[in-house]
Amino acid sequence: MPIHAKTIGILGGGQLARMLVLKARQMGLRVIILSEKRTDPAASVASKWLPGSIKSEQDIRALIRASDFITFESEFIPAELLKRSLKQIPGKKIYPSLKCLGHMQDRLRQKEWLHDFHLPTLDHIKINSKDDIDLAFKIYHSKIVFKRRMGGYDGNGTYVVKNKIELAAFKKEFKGEESQFMIEPFIEFQSEESLIFARNSKGQTIVLPMIKSVQKNNQCDYVFGPVTHHMQKKLTEKIIHFLKTVDYVGVIAFELFNLGSKLVINEVAPRVHNTGHFSQDALSIDQFELHLRCLLGMPLPAIELKQPAFVMVNLLGTSTRKPLIKKFPSGALHWYDKQENRPRRKMGHINYLGRNKKDLLQKALIERKGILI
Ligand SMILES: Nc1ncnc2c1ncn2[C@@H]1O[C@H](COP(=O)(O)OP(=O)(O)OP(=O)(O)O)[C@@H](O)[C@H]1O
Ligand SMILES: [Mg+2]
């Protein structure tokens, strides 16, 4: 069947789904979105909007039936639910695979998988009982990070605890819920990097230029690049080997901590990723097209950087006022068209290209201040 007759079904209607839709339509593909509200960022731009819930087996089945290839914008849809929904519907594929999704959506299982493949990551402790918390606090020298195993994003679900008072407060707040978290040592990293890969269903794999990301309140604020690290090549090779072994299909993001002498993996997201948005304007092909090409088994072309430097700044909500653009930026604006604003909510982003990273970043950060109402 020709490519243009294909229909992509996406579970979820947020900004990642929206940017996948916009690219898919540019490529001539049809896209169906399963989401709850007509006003969801991806619903209004899709070829077809299927009202429903990504938590409902029945609604998911309807999406699967109507699509040739199915993908998701969030890794937190239980793999088991998708497995059940896929049953008895022949010939339909969900990418990335449900096996990969199942291993990655639980931060604890993800960590264990990384360890199994000898991929460098921070140490962690599983919480079986309350005593494990005290043990971890002691072993990790009273500086620990609690991470919610399922459903954490934008720093929601990440709790840094650096003394006994904070530990007591955490225990009080999450009494009875302890086993839903895992614990990592708190580390003083030099910076945070991100490596994004795309692997198609034929096994071809490519990697995007590495970026540095800067977080505010444990949430991505802006990224810039390209950057390099002496361990980058070795880590890239290991990750490519891992992706081949688990037969991963789609775009995947590896968030990294730069510890100076080495790069270690913080977390993995089996999807298109905020730190990859720069690719929309800085590269010859972006992460959204790459993801679609991966699903369809299309070749992945060599990536070219359009200019020596790039910056991506997130536009984060600061109030509950109606979202509006006060002043149009000189960089490329990507607006998510969300109807409601709230503090820290991702409302859009801007990509800048130039010759010098430092100058570009300065310009971007100044310009950003005047944009969002
Ligand atoms: N072990 C750690 N030591 C120090 N800082 C950490 C640690 N783990 C996480 N952080 C900080 O908190 C941020 C968010 O953590 P993490 O990426 O695990 O959560 P998240 O909710 O998935 O975030 P996002 O959706 O923004 O990627 C990290 O980018 C980093 O800045
Ligand atoms: Mg993260």
Side-chain angles (χ1 to χ4, degrees):
M1 202 197 276
I3 283 166
H4 283 175
K6 296 274 189 265
T7 300
I8 312 285
I10 304 179
L11 293 144
Q15 69 267 17
L16 298 178
R18 176 186 172 91
M19 291 183 273
L20 277 169
V21 169
L22 293 174
K23 181 51 76 171
R25 298 206 68 174
Q26 186 186 327
M27 292 163 74
L29 295 160
R30 262 177 61 77
V31 193
I32 309 185
I33 288 291
L34 173 65
S35 79
E36 288 185 9
K37 287 190 250 146
R38 186 181 289 281
T39 52
D40 286 334
S44 57
V45 290
S47 319
K48 192 178 161 196
W49 169 60
L50 201 64
S53 167
I54 55 169
K55 294 182 188 143
S56 149
E57 189 175 319
Q58 199 188 335
D59 296 345
I60 297 171
R61 288 176 79 80
L63 180 79
I64 294 173
R65 281 211 180 87
S67 316
D68 297 302
F69 294 91
I70 298 96
T71 191
F72 43 83
E73 67 160 357
S74 157
E75 61 274 36
F76 299 120
I77 308 169
E80 283 306 317
L81 170 65
L82 294 180
K83 232 175 253 172
R84 280 200 306 278
S85 312
L86 201 56
K87 250 190 200 151
Q88 286 151 9
I89 311 183
K92 300 297 168 82
K93 288 260 198 296
I94 300 185
Y95 286 131
S97 76
L98 299 184
K99 180 183 157 212
C100 290
L101 177 66
H103 276 283
M104 284 173 177
Q105 62 188 187
D106 176 343
R107 296 292 290 271
L108 180 67
R109 271 181 83 188
Q110 184 187 110
K111 276 276 192 189
E112 290 168 351
W113 226 29
L114 295 177
H115 283 299
D116 289 349
F117 283 91
H118 305 290
L119 286 165
T121 180
L122 291 184
D123 198 17
H124 72 277
I125 286 179
K126 180 177 180 211
I127 308 177
N128 290 312
S129 72
K130 284 183 197 131
D131 292 346
D132 294 336
I133 296 181
D134 296 322
L135 188 70
F137 191 68
K138 202 169 147 204
I139 294 176
Y140 296 147
H141 310 291
S142 315
K143 282 186 182 174
I144 57 176
V145 183
F146 286 91
K147 292 195 176 174
R148 205 176 262 290
R149 288 173 56 180
M150 292 283 283
Y153 72 99
D154 290 347
N156 303 309
T158 302
Y159 301 87
V160 176
V161 165
K162 286 187 176 170
N163 55 52
K164 283 187 175 158
I165 298 167
E166 287 174 7
L167 183 65
F170 179 89
K171 282 181 174 171
K172 199 171 156 204
E173 188 174 348
F174 296 104
K175 208 167 182 243
E177 281 182 65
E178 295 88 348
S179 65
Q180 293 178 20
F181 292 85
M182 64 164 196
I183 300 174
E184 276 178 9
F186 176 85
I187 46 124
E188 306 277 356
F189 49 77
Q190 284 191 1
S191 58
E192 291 185 78
E193 265 79 323
S194 181
L195 272 174
I196 296 178
F197 296 77
R199 184 172 182 275
N200 72 12
S201 54
K202 306 247 163 71
Q204 191 192 354
T205 310
I206 57 165
V207 59
L208 271 54
M210 190 161 80
I211 60 92
K212 250 188 218 313
S213 73
V214 175
Q215 332 294 313
K216 196 173 154 193
N217 303 318
N218 296 336
Q219 179 186 23
C220 178
D221 191 28
Y222 59 86
V223 316
F224 60 91
V227 296
T228 55
H229 188 280
H230 67 279
M231 292 304 284
Q232 181 181 348
K233 189 166 174 272
K234 207 165 165 202
L235 180 61
T236 301
E237 284 165 5
K238 277 187 164 189
I239 293 174
I240 290 176
H241 174 74
F242 164 73
L243 297 176
K244 184 178 173 206
T245 312
V246 303
D247 195 16
Y248 186 87
V249 175
V251 163
I252 184 166
F254 287 76
E255 293 179 18
L256 312 172
F257 290 134
N258 178 352
L259 305 183
S261 61
K262 54 184 176 181
L263 289 172
V264 299
I265 297 167
N266 166 25
E267 66 166 335
V268 185
R271 55 171 165 80
V272 286
H273 195 258
N274 192 176
T275 61
H277 293 351
F278 72 91
S279 60
Q280 291 171 304
D281 298 286
L283 303 183
S284 49
I285 184 163
D286 74 23
Q287 61 167 346
F288 302 100
E289 175 163 350
L290 286 171
H291 188 67
L292 294 162
R293 282 177 174 254
C294 287
L295 309 190
L296 294 160
M298 287 162 67
L300 308 179
I303 289 174
E304 276 167 45
L305 201 58
K306 289 185 185 165
Q307 292 237 21
F310 57 82
V311 169
M312 187 271 336
V313 291
N314 274 334
L315 293 173
L316 300 171
T318 52
S319 72
T320 50
R321 285 193 298 266
K322 190 173 158 42
L324 284 173
I325 303 156
K326 255 193 301 195
K327 192 168 164 240
F328 219 76
S330 63
L333 175 68
H334 297 262
W335 184 246
Y336 307 154
D337 206 15
K338 293 183 179 175
Q339 302 301 302
E340 284 156 36
N341 197 352
R342 59 172 184 267
R344 301 183 73 227
R345 191 172 195 205
K346 287 174 181 165
M347 304 304 292
H349 67 268
I350 312 167
N351 284 328
Y352 292 86
L353 297 186
R355 300 207 65 76
N356 178 294
K357 259 180 267 178
K358 219 171 136 205
D359 295 347
L360 204 59
L361 189 57
Q362 202 179 12
K363 178 170 125 183
L365 295 178
I366 290 172
E367 205 177 86
R368 176 170 71 167
K369 288 186 187 154
I371 289 173
L372 191 65
I373 286 193

